[in-house]
Amino acid sequence: MNLFRLDASIRTEGSVSRALADTAEQAWLAEHPGAVVTRRDLGIQPLPGDAWTVLARAVVDPAAPAPDEARELLDRLGAELLDADAFLFAVPMYNWNVPAQVKVWLDLILNHPRLGVHGDWPLKGKPAILTLSRGGGYGPGTPKEGWDHATPYLRRVLAEVFGLDLHIVEAELTHAFWNPEMASLRGLAEESLKAGHEQAAEHGLRVARLVTA
């Protein structure tokens, strides 16, 4: 049994997306003690941005083949996903979108011959959890309604392009815990965080049981 976990926060302490993922992972491991957790931490070890450039150039220009190290990197990234039974993605929203390091990772994966848009959908139907954290509030009626470009993008790629059975966990207003200008929203932030951890535990258990079903 193999759970693939991807983290993207540049924070190693105090990261809400990591904390939510920890809760989901603990629920998973409670059902599968001793299971393998394959980890890729883009916040600590971002991928080289030029890897996608050379791989993409090789597609449109056969006279400019990608160097071996770029192709080997793509093979490793693809193998991490192909070998997994379930997935856990922990992604904070930065600047109203996905972090740059997540975009690089996705762009590379979408170049993979099997996992990309022209592949054979090897991940279709496999269960996945996406834990999202957002510093502000972006729901209906809020001043920044519609500014969250991360959630719809990730849902589109993970669920519709890769075909994963995606379960989403969310926590908002996380900046209220440290930003004095958002102090009046701390109560709502605490409620959102509590609900997020409850969702993470539920989804972790559900996904673990889906793998054994």
Side-chain angles (χ1 to χ4, degrees):
M1 199 66 65
N2 185 343
L3 174 70
F4 172 78
R5 173 169 171 172
L6 179 138
D7 284 281
S9 176
I10 60 174
R11 301 175 68 187
T12 55
E13 298 293 332
S15 166
V16 172
S17 62
R18 289 180 187 271
L20 294 173
D22 287 344
T23 296
E25 181 182 328
Q26 290 162 11
W28 159 273
L29 290 174
E31 288 290 303
H32 300 293
V36 174
V37 180
T38 300
R39 304 181 189 277
R40 179 159 290 276
D41 197 322
L42 301 176
I44 295 175
Q45 293 182 311
L47 298 168
D50 62 345
W52 176 83
T53 305
V54 295
L55 287 164
R57 184 181 296 119
V59 173
V60 298
D61 183 5
D68 290 344
E69 55 266 29
R71 289 186 282 105
E72 290 168 0
L73 172 61
L74 183 58
D75 288 343
R76 289 198 303 274
L77 297 176
E80 290 173 352
L81 298 181
L82 293 168
D83 291 344
D85 300 294
F87 305 86
L88 176 56
F89 305 99
V91 183
M93 185 175 76
Y94 292 162
N95 299 322
W96 309 290
N97 212 322
V98 297
Q101 57 269 28
V102 174
K103 185 63 167 59
V104 170
W105 178 78
L106 283 170
D107 282 343
L108 284 167
I109 293 296
L110 291 171
N111 257 292
H112 192 278
R114 291 195 61 197
L115 296 165
V117 293
H118 302 297
D120 57 1
W121 285 51
L123 307 184
K124 186 175 182 180
K126 289 188 176 184
I129 300 168
L130 170 63
T131 66
L132 289 161
S133 63
R134 296 185 285 266
Y138 299 88
T142 61
K144 290 189 175 178
E145 178 183 356
W147 284 50
D148 173 11
H149 300 288
T151 306
Y153 172 73
L154 289 168
R155 183 185 288 115
R156 181 64 52 86
V157 175
L158 297 175
E160 297 184 31
V161 177
F162 294 157
L164 293 170
D165 176 15
L166 189 64
H167 304 261
I168 296 179
V169 176
E170 301 172 286
E172 285 200 330
L173 301 170
T174 62
H175 287 184
F177 293 116
W178 58 265
N179 186 347
E181 294 182 1
M182 297 177 65
S184 63
L185 299 174
R186 284 176 188 163
L188 291 175
E190 290 171 357
E191 291 177 11
S192 180
L193 184 60
K194 180 176 182 291
H197 279 289
E198 291 171 352
Q199 279 187 326
E202 292 170 3
H203 288 333
L205 180 61
R206 181 176 296 113
V207 164
R209 291 177 175 174
L210 282 172
V211 173
T212 58

Short mmCIF file of all heavy atoms in Angstrom, two decimals, residues 49-82:
data_model
loop_
_atom_site.label_atom_id
_atom_site.label_comp_id
_atom_site.label_asym_id
_atom_site.label_seq_id
_atom_site.Cartn_x
_atom_site.Cartn_y
_atom_site.Cartn_z
N GLY A 49 13.00 25.06 -12.69
CA GLY A 49 12.04 25.61 -13.64
C GLY A 49 12.39 25.37 -15.08
O GLY A 49 11.51 25.31 -15.95
N ASP A 50 13.68 25.22 -15.39
CA ASP A 50 14.07 25.04 -16.78
C ASP A 50 13.85 23.62 -17.27
O ASP A 50 13.94 23.36 -18.47
CB ASP A 50 15.54 25.45 -16.99
CG ASP A 50 16.49 24.59 -16.17
OD1 ASP A 50 16.04 23.89 -15.25
OD2 ASP A 50 17.71 24.64 -16.45
N ALA A 51 13.53 22.68 -16.37
CA ALA A 51 13.29 21.30 -16.80
C ALA A 51 12.08 21.24 -17.74
O ALA A 51 12.10 20.56 -18.77
CB ALA A 51 13.08 20.39 -15.59
N TRP A 52 11.02 21.96 -17.38
CA TRP A 52 9.85 21.96 -18.25
C TRP A 52 10.18 22.61 -19.59
O TRP A 52 9.74 22.14 -20.65
CB TRP A 52 8.69 22.71 -17.60
CG TRP A 52 7.51 22.80 -18.52
CD1 TRP A 52 6.56 21.84 -18.71
CD2 TRP A 52 7.20 23.87 -19.42
NE1 TRP A 52 5.66 22.26 -19.68
CE2 TRP A 52 6.03 23.50 -20.12
CE3 TRP A 52 7.79 25.10 -19.69
CZ2 TRP A 52 5.44 24.33 -21.07
CZ3 TRP A 52 7.20 25.93 -20.64
CH2 TRP A 52 6.05 25.54 -21.32
N THR A 53 10.94 23.68 -19.57
CA THR A 53 11.26 24.39 -20.81
C THR A 53 11.95 23.48 -21.82
O THR A 53 11.57 23.44 -23.00
CB THR A 53 12.16 25.62 -20.51
OG1 THR A 53 11.51 26.45 -19.54
CG2 THR A 53 12.41 26.42 -21.78
N VAL A 54 12.95 22.75 -21.36
CA VAL A 54 13.70 21.90 -22.31
C VAL A 54 12.86 20.71 -22.75
O VAL A 54 12.96 20.27 -23.91
CB VAL A 54 15.05 21.46 -21.71
CG1 VAL A 54 15.94 22.65 -21.49
CG2 VAL A 54 14.87 20.66 -20.43
N LEU A 55 12.02 20.17 -21.87
CA LEU A 55 11.16 19.06 -22.27
C LEU A 55 10.10 19.51 -23.27
O LEU A 55 9.82 18.81 -24.25
CB LEU A 55 10.51 18.44 -21.04
CG LEU A 55 11.42 17.61 -20.13
CD1 LEU A 55 10.78 17.38 -18.78
CD2 LEU A 55 11.76 16.27 -20.79
N ALA A 56 9.51 20.67 -23.02
CA ALA A 56 8.50 21.18 -23.93
C ALA A 56 9.10 21.55 -25.28
O ALA A 56 8.50 21.31 -26.32
CB ALA A 56 7.80 22.39 -23.31
N ARG A 57 10.31 22.13 -25.25
CA ARG A 57 10.96 22.49 -26.51
C ARG A 57 11.24 21.24 -27.35
O ARG A 57 11.11 21.26 -28.58
CB ARG A 57 12.26 23.24 -26.23
CG ARG A 57 12.95 23.73 -27.51
CD ARG A 57 14.25 24.46 -27.21
NE ARG A 57 14.01 25.68 -26.45
CZ ARG A 57 14.51 25.91 -25.24
NH1 ARG A 57 15.28 25.00 -24.66
NH2 ARG A 57 14.27 27.04 -24.63
N ALA A 58 11.60 20.14 -26.70
CA ALA A 58 11.89 18.91 -27.43
C ALA A 58 10.65 18.37 -28.14
O ALA A 58 10.77 17.69 -29.16
CB ALA A 58 12.45 17.86 -26.47
N VAL A 59 9.48 18.67 -27.60
CA VAL A 59 8.24 18.21 -28.23
C VAL A 59 7.99 18.95 -29.54
O VAL A 59 7.60 18.36 -30.55
CB VAL A 59 7.05 18.40 -27.27
CG1 VAL A 59 5.74 18.08 -27.98
CG2 VAL A 59 7.21 17.51 -26.04
N VAL A 60 8.23 20.24 -29.55
CA VAL A 60 7.94 21.05 -30.74
C VAL A 60 9.12 21.15 -31.68
O VAL A 60 8.96 21.55 -32.85
CB VAL A 60 7.46 22.46 -30.33
CG1 VAL A 60 6.18 22.37 -29.53
CG2 VAL A 60 8.53 23.20 -29.54
N ASP A 61 10.32 20.82 -31.19
CA ASP A 61 11.53 20.92 -32.01
C ASP A 61 12.39 19.68 -31.81
O ASP A 61 13.24 19.64 -30.92
CB ASP A 61 12.32 22.18 -31.64
CG ASP A 61 13.55 22.36 -32.53
OD1 ASP A 61 13.73 21.57 -33.48
OD2 ASP A 61 14.33 23.30 -32.27
N PRO A 62 12.20 18.64 -32.62
CA PRO A 62 12.97 17.40 -32.46
C PRO A 62 14.48 17.61 -32.59
O PRO A 62 15.26 16.76 -32.15
CB PRO A 62 12.44 16.51 -33.59
CG PRO A 62 11.08 17.06 -33.91
CD PRO A 62 11.18 18.53 -33.69
N ALA A 63 14.88 18.73 -33.17
CA ALA A 63 16.31 19.00 -33.30
C ALA A 63 16.92 19.50 -32.00
O ALA A 63 18.13 19.71 -31.92
CB ALA A 63 16.55 20.03 -34.40
N ALA A 64 16.08 19.70 -30.97
CA ALA A 64 16.57 20.18 -29.67
C ALA A 64 16.17 19.19 -28.59
O ALA A 64 15.29 19.48 -27.77
CB ALA A 64 16.01 21.57 -29.37
N PRO A 65 16.75 18.00 -28.57
CA PRO A 65 16.36 16.98 -27.59
C PRO A 65 16.64 17.42 -26.15
O PRO A 65 17.62 18.14 -25.89
CB PRO A 65 17.23 15.77 -27.98
CG PRO A 65 18.41 16.36 -28.69
CD PRO A 65 17.88 17.56 -29.42
N ALA A 66 15.78 17.00 -25.25
CA ALA A 66 15.96 17.35 -23.84
C ALA A 66 17.15 16.62 -23.26
O ALA A 66 17.41 15.46 -23.61
CB ALA A 66 14.70 17.00 -23.06
N PRO A 67 17.92 17.25 -22.39
CA PRO A 67 19.05 16.57 -21.76
C PRO A 67 18.59 15.40 -20.90
O PRO A 67 17.44 15.35 -20.44
CB PRO A 67 19.70 17.67 -20.92
CG PRO A 67 18.65 18.69 -20.72
CD PRO A 67 17.77 18.64 -21.94
N ASP A 68 19.51 14.46 -20.67
CA ASP A 68 19.17 13.25 -19.93
C ASP A 68 18.62 13.56 -18.55
O ASP A 68 17.67 12.91 -18.08
CB ASP A 68 20.41 12.36 -19.79
CG ASP A 68 20.82 11.73 -21.11
OD1 ASP A 68 20.00 11.74 -22.05
OD2 ASP A 68 21.96 11.24 -21.20
N GLU A 69 19.19 14.57 -17.86
CA GLU A 69 18.74 14.84 -16.50
C GLU A 69 17.29 15.30 -16.45
O GLU A 69 16.56 14.99 -15.50
CB GLU A 69 19.64 15.87 -15.82
CG GLU A 69 19.82 17.19 -16.56
CD GLU A 69 21.05 17.20 -17.45
OE1 GLU A 69 21.46 16.12 -17.92
OE2 GLU A 69 21.61 18.30 -17.63
N ALA A 70 16.83 16.02 -17.46
CA ALA A 70 15.43 16.44 -17.49
C ALA A 70 14.51 15.25 -17.72
O ALA A 70 13.46 15.12 -17.08
CB ALA A 70 15.21 17.50 -18.57
N ARG A 71 14.89 14.36 -18.63
CA ARG A 71 14.06 13.18 -18.90
C ARG A 71 14.06 12.22 -17.71
O ARG A 71 13.04 11.62 -17.38
CB ARG A 71 14.57 12.47 -20.16
CG ARG A 71 14.27 13.26 -21.44
CD ARG A 71 14.62 12.53 -22.71
NE ARG A 71 16.05 12.55 -22.98
CZ ARG A 71 16.87 11.52 -22.81
NH1 ARG A 71 16.42 10.37 -22.35
NH2 ARG A 71 18.15 11.64 -23.10
N GLU A 72 15.19 12.12 -17.04
CA GLU A 72 15.25 11.27 -15.84
C GLU A 72 14.40 11.83 -14.71
O GLU A 72 13.75 11.08 -13.98
CB GLU A 72 16.70 11.13 -15.40
CG GLU A 72 17.54 10.28 -16.36
CD GLU A 72 19.04 10.40 -16.08
OE1 GLU A 72 19.40 11.14 -15.13
OE2 GLU A 72 19.82 9.76 -16.80
N LEU A 73 14.39 13.16 -14.57
CA LEU A 73 13.54 13.79 -13.57
C LEU A 73 12.08 13.50 -13.86
O LEU A 73 11.31 13.13 -12.96
CB LEU A 73 13.79 15.30 -13.55
CG LEU A 73 12.83 16.12 -12.66
CD1 LEU A 73 12.94 15.70 -11.20
CD2 LEU A 73 13.11 17.62 -12.82
N LEU A 74 11.66 13.65 -15.10
CA LEU A 74 10.28 13.38 -15.47
C LEU A 74 9.92 11.92 -15.19
O LEU A 74 8.82 11.63 -14.70
CB LEU A 74 10.05 13.71 -16.94
CG LEU A 74 8.62 13.54 -17.45
CD1 LEU A 74 7.64 14.39 -16.65
CD2 LEU A 74 8.53 13.88 -18.93
N ASP A 75 10.83 11.02 -15.48
CA ASP A 75 10.59 9.60 -15.19
C ASP A 75 10.37 9.37 -13.70
O ASP A 75 9.47 8.61 -13.29
CB ASP A 75 11.75 8.74 -15.68
CG ASP A 75 11.82 8.63 -17.20
OD1 ASP A 75 10.81 8.93 -17.86
OD2 ASP A 75 12.88 8.24 -17.72
N ARG A 76 11.18 10.01 -12.85
CA ARG A 76 11.04 9.85 -11.40
C ARG A 76 9.71 10.41 -10.91
O ARG A 76 9.02 9.79 -10.10
CB ARG A 76 12.19 10.55 -10.67
CG ARG A 76 13.53 9.87 -10.81
CD ARG A 76 14.51 10.33 -9.74
NE ARG A 76 14.70 11.77 -9.72
CZ ARG A 76 15.59 12.42 -10.49
NH1 ARG A 76 16.35 11.75 -11.34
NH2 ARG A 76 15.73 13.73 -10.39
N LEU A 77 9.37 11.59 -11.40
CA LEU A 77 8.10 12.21 -10.99
C LEU A 77 6.92 11.34 -11.40
O LEU A 77 5.96 11.16 -10.64
CB LEU A 77 7.97 13.60 -11.60
CG LEU A 77 9.00 14.65 -11.18
CD1 LEU A 77 8.78 15.95 -11.95
CD2 LEU A 77 8.96 14.90 -9.69
N GLY A 78 6.98 10.82 -12.61
CA GLY A 78 5.89 9.96 -13.07
C GLY A 78 5.80 8.68 -12.29
O GLY A 78 4.69 8.24 -11.92
N ALA A 79 6.93 8.07 -11.97
CA ALA A 79 6.93 6.81 -11.22
C ALA A 79 6.33 7.00 -9.84
O ALA A 79 5.64 6.10 -9.32
CB ALA A 79 8.36 6.28 -11.11
N GLU A 80 6.55 8.16 -9.21
CA GLU A 80 5.99 8.40 -7.88
C GLU A 80 4.46 8.32 -7.91
O GLU A 80 3.84 7.81 -6.98
CB GLU A 80 6.43 9.78 -7.37
CG GLU A 80 7.91 9.85 -7.01
CD GLU A 80 8.38 11.24 -6.67
OE1 GLU A 80 7.60 12.21 -6.86
OE2 GLU A 80 9.52 11.38 -6.20
N LEU A 81 3.87 8.81 -8.99
CA LEU A 81 2.41 8.78 -9.11
C LEU A 81 1.92 7.41 -9.56
O LEU A 81 0.92 6.89 -9.05
CB LEU A 81 1.95 9.86 -10.08
CG LEU A 81 2.26 11.30 -9.70
CD1 LEU A 81 1.72 12.27 -10.74
CD2 LEU A 81 1.67 11.64 -8.33
N LEU A 82 2.60 6.83 -10.52
CA LEU A 82 2.16 5.54 -11.06
C LEU A 82 2.24 4.43 -10.03
O LEU A 82 1.47 3.46 -10.10
CB LEU A 82 2.99 5.19 -12.29
CG LEU A 82 2.78 6.09 -13.51
CD1 LEU A 82 3.84 5.83 -14.57
CD2 LEU A 82 1.38 5.87 -14.09
#
